């Protein structure tokens, strides 16, 4: 993948969900188009911790990821900073319970 093609992995703000973006970055890494998160970060012009934060969202329960993909957070209420603590919870059932609380709090 050329540097120019790799830049397409970062969509214009608001056009892709965090989950879509994380999945694309994960695929780029899995295919070996870049060797490390650090290399990916350098090529797309963000910090390595930012890449890690996005990729960690793939630890969210499949039901939460599905919700985020379906809604694309149309109201802009759900931020990455809300999702990071959820992704750190190992139990998907607990993640879902906390996500429901988050949705209730934000609405």
């Amino acid at each position: 993948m050329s540097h120019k093609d790799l830049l397409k992995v970062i969509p214009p703000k608001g056009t892709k969900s965090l989950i879509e973006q994380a999945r694309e970055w994960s695929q780029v890494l899995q295919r070996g188009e870049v060797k490390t998160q650090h290399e990916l970060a350098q090529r797309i012009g963000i910090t390595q911790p930012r890449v890690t934060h996005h990729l960690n969202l793939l630890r969210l329960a499949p039901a939460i990821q599905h919700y985020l993909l379906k809604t694309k957070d149309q109201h802009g209420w759900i931020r990455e900073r809300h999702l990071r603590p959820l992704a750190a919870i190992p139990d998907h059932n607990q993640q879902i319970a906390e996500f429901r609380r988050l949705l209730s709090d934000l609405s």
Side-chain angles (χ1 to χ4, degrees), residues 6 9-11 20-30 34 40 44 46 50-52 54-55:
L6 195 56
V9 174
I10 294 193
E20 287 173 311
Q21 196 168 48
R23 285 180 178 177
E24 285 184 7
W25 291 355
S26 177
Q27 290 170 359
V28 166
L29 286 160
Q30 288 174 1
V34 294
L40 176 62
I44 57 181
I46 62 174
R50 184 92 174 118
V51 170
T52 300
H54 272 70
L55 292 175

Side-chain angles (χ1 to χ4, degrees), residues 1 6-7 14 19-20 33 35 37 56 61 63 71-72 75-76:
M1 176 179 270
L6 195 56
L7 289 176
I19 298 300
E20 287 173 311
E33 295 168 19
K35 295 189 187 316
Q37 290 181 19
N56 284 344
T71 64
K72 291 194 181 185
H75 304 289

Side-chain angles (χ1 to χ4, degrees), residues 3-96:
H3 181 70
K4 190 174 186 178
D5 290 337
L6 195 56
L7 289 176
K8 292 177 186 172
V9 174
I10 294 193
K13 190 171 184 164
T15 60
K16 288 195 179 180
S17 74
L18 294 168
I19 298 300
E20 287 173 311
Q21 196 168 48
R23 285 180 178 177
E24 285 184 7
W25 291 355
S26 177
Q27 290 170 359
V28 166
L29 286 160
Q30 288 174 1
R31 289 190 302 257
E33 295 168 19
V34 294
K35 295 189 187 316
T36 65
Q37 290 181 19
H38 180 73
E39 183 181 350
L40 176 62
Q42 285 182 320
R43 289 205 186 171
I44 57 181
I46 62 174
T47 65
Q48 186 274 324
R50 184 92 174 118
V51 170
T52 300
H53 289 154
H54 272 70
L55 292 175
N56 284 344
L57 296 179
L58 297 178
R59 295 180 182 170
L60 290 169
I64 296 171
Q65 291 186 38
H66 179 75
Y67 177 89
L68 295 170
L69 288 168
K70 283 292 213 182
T71 64
K72 291 194 181 185
D73 188 26
Q74 296 166 359
H75 304 289
W77 294 336
I78 303 170
R79 301 275 186 236
E80 181 186 353
R81 67 184 172 87
H82 297 119
L83 298 172
R84 272 192 249 150
L86 296 177
I89 299 170
D91 179 43
H92 283 177
N93 290 326
Q94 188 178 353
Q95 284 183 5
I96 291 168

